[in-house]
Amino acid sequence: MKLLSRKKLISWLDNNLLLFLSAFLIAFIPLWPKIPLFSPIEQYIVRVRLEDVLVAFAGIIWLIQVFRKKIAWRSIYFYLVIAYATIGLLSVLGGVFVINTIPLEPLHLGKSLLHYFRYLEYFSLFFILYSSIKSAKDVKKLLFISGLTVVAITIYGYGQKYLYWPVYSTMNREFSKGVRLYLTEHARVQSTFAGHYDLGAYLVILLPLLLSLFIYSKKIIARVFFFICFILGLWLLVTSASRTPFASYLVGITVVMGLFALKKPSWTQKIIFQLKYAGIFYAITLIMMIFFGQDMNERFLQVLDGYPKISKTYHQLNHQRKIVSKNIITSIFGKDQKFIIEVEKPEGAIAFDNNNVLTPTDQLPTPQ
C-alpha cells in the first residue's frame, strides 16, 4: 500500500509540477522584494536575484518534460520568440564586429549578453505557463492567485507609504546592491517592485484583466473578489504616480469595456452597457485621484507649465477648491481630526525620494 501511495504521489507531481511552479512564480516574482544575490558583472547595475534562480529551475523542469514528451508546448508564439532570439543574437554580433558599437571587451560584451539572455528568461515564463495549463480549472486557479497577489502588493504598498516598510530599489547602482530604504512623504510608492515604473507596468496588465474578470464572472463571490482586487490595485497605481502607466490603464479599461459591449446583440444594449460600466469605473478612478492622487495630479499639472495663463487660472481655482474642501471637512470632523495613523520613522534608516538618498538635513520641496 505504501508503495502504491508513493507511486500515486510521484505520478501526481509529474503531472502537476509545472502548474505548481507556474502558480508559485506568478505570486513570488511580484511579491519578493528585489534583493540581489550577487552581481555577475561587478561594474554594472544588473544583479542576479532569487527569482532568476527559480525561473532557471522551472525552465530546467520544463525542458525535461519536453524531452519526455509529457507536455504540449508548441505555439505560434514559439516561432516569434525564435525569430526574436535570432535577430537579437545577430544584433549583438553586428554591434561587435560590423558597426563597432559594442567594444570587444569582457565588460561591454558581458553587458550585452546579460541583457540578451535576461530577455529570453522573461519569454521563457510564457512557455512554462502555457505548458502547465491543461484545463479551464487550471486557468481559474492561476487567475485567482493573480488577484491575491495584487491584494498582497497593495498591502505592502500601504505599509511603505504610511508605516515606513522597507523599500528595495534598483533606480541606481548603489540602490541595486540591496540598500534598505524608506519613502519620504511625497515619494512614489513602488511596493515590492524595483521601481514605480515596474509597478505601473505590472498593474497596467493586471487591472484590465481584473476588470474583465469582474464583468465576465457569473458568481457573486467571484465578482466581489475581483472587484476588490481591482479597487486595491487602482489605489496602488494612483499612489505610484506614474503618468504613462495611468494613461495606459485608462486606454486598457476602455478597450475592455468596449469589447464586452460589442458582444451585446443590439446597438441600444451596446451603448447602455458601455455607459453603465464606463460611468462606474471612470467615477471610481476620479474618486481615487481626488482623495489619493495629489502626487499624480502634481505630475500631470507639469504639462500646464508650458501654458502660463491656463496654469495660473487652474491654480487659482484649485486653491479655492482646497479652502472649501478643508472648511467642509473641518465642520464635519473637527479641526484636529487625523485619518492616518502616525508612525515614527525607523531608527537609522535611509530616506528615499525615488531618485536620491536624503540626509536628515535635506528637505523636499512641498507642492503648493
Side-chain angles (χ1 to χ4, degrees), residues 191-230:
S191 189
T192 53
F193 287 76
H196 56 282
Y197 292 119
D198 295 348
L199 171 62
Y202 174 80
L203 291 173
V204 161
I205 296 171
L206 264 292
L207 288 176
L209 177 61
L210 292 171
L211 174 60
S212 65
L213 291 170
F214 165 75
I215 297 173
Y216 179 79
S217 298
K218 299 295 186 287
K219 295 182 179 179
I220 294 178
I221 294 177
R223 287 174 65 86
V224 170
F225 172 74
F226 288 119
F227 182 77
I228 291 172
C229 294
F230 177 87

Side-chain angles (χ1 to χ4, degrees), residues 257 272-287:
M257 291 183 290
I272 292 173
F273 178 91
Q274 183 73 7
L275 291 176
K276 172 186 172 182
Y277 280 95
I280 293 172
F281 286 96
Y282 289 156
I284 291 172
T285 303
L286 181 61
I287 291 169

Side-chain angles (χ1 to χ4, degrees), residues 139-200:
V139 176
K140 291 177 181 178
K141 291 174 185 175
L142 296 176
L143 291 173
F144 179 74
I145 290 170
S146 297
L148 286 178
T149 303
V150 171
V151 173
I153 64 172
T154 303
I155 292 171
Y156 195 87
Y158 179 89
Q160 275 186 347
K161 186 167 182 65
Y162 299 115
L163 306 176
Y164 298 110
W165 286 8
V167 180
Y168 295 96
S169 174
T170 62
M171 299 286 280
N172 64 39
R173 187 178 298 173
E174 289 303 312
F175 293 167
S176 69
K177 293 178 181 179
V179 178
R180 178 173 174 167
L181 309 163
Y182 73 85
L183 296 181
T184 55
E185 182 182 356
H186 295 289
R188 287 164 280 183
V189 174
Q190 64 185 56
S191 189
T192 53
F193 287 76
H196 56 282
Y197 292 119
D198 295 348
L199 171 62

Side-chain angles (χ1 to χ4, degrees), residues 18 62 71-75 77-79 81-82 120 123-132:
L18 274 181
W62 180 82
I71 54 175
W73 57 277
R74 289 187 182 275
S75 68
Y77 187 76
F78 169 75
Y79 299 102
V81 172
I82 291 296
L120 295 183
F123 288 130
S124 71
L125 290 169
F126 169 83
F127 297 105
I128 296 168
L129 192 65
Y130 178 80
S131 302
S132 70

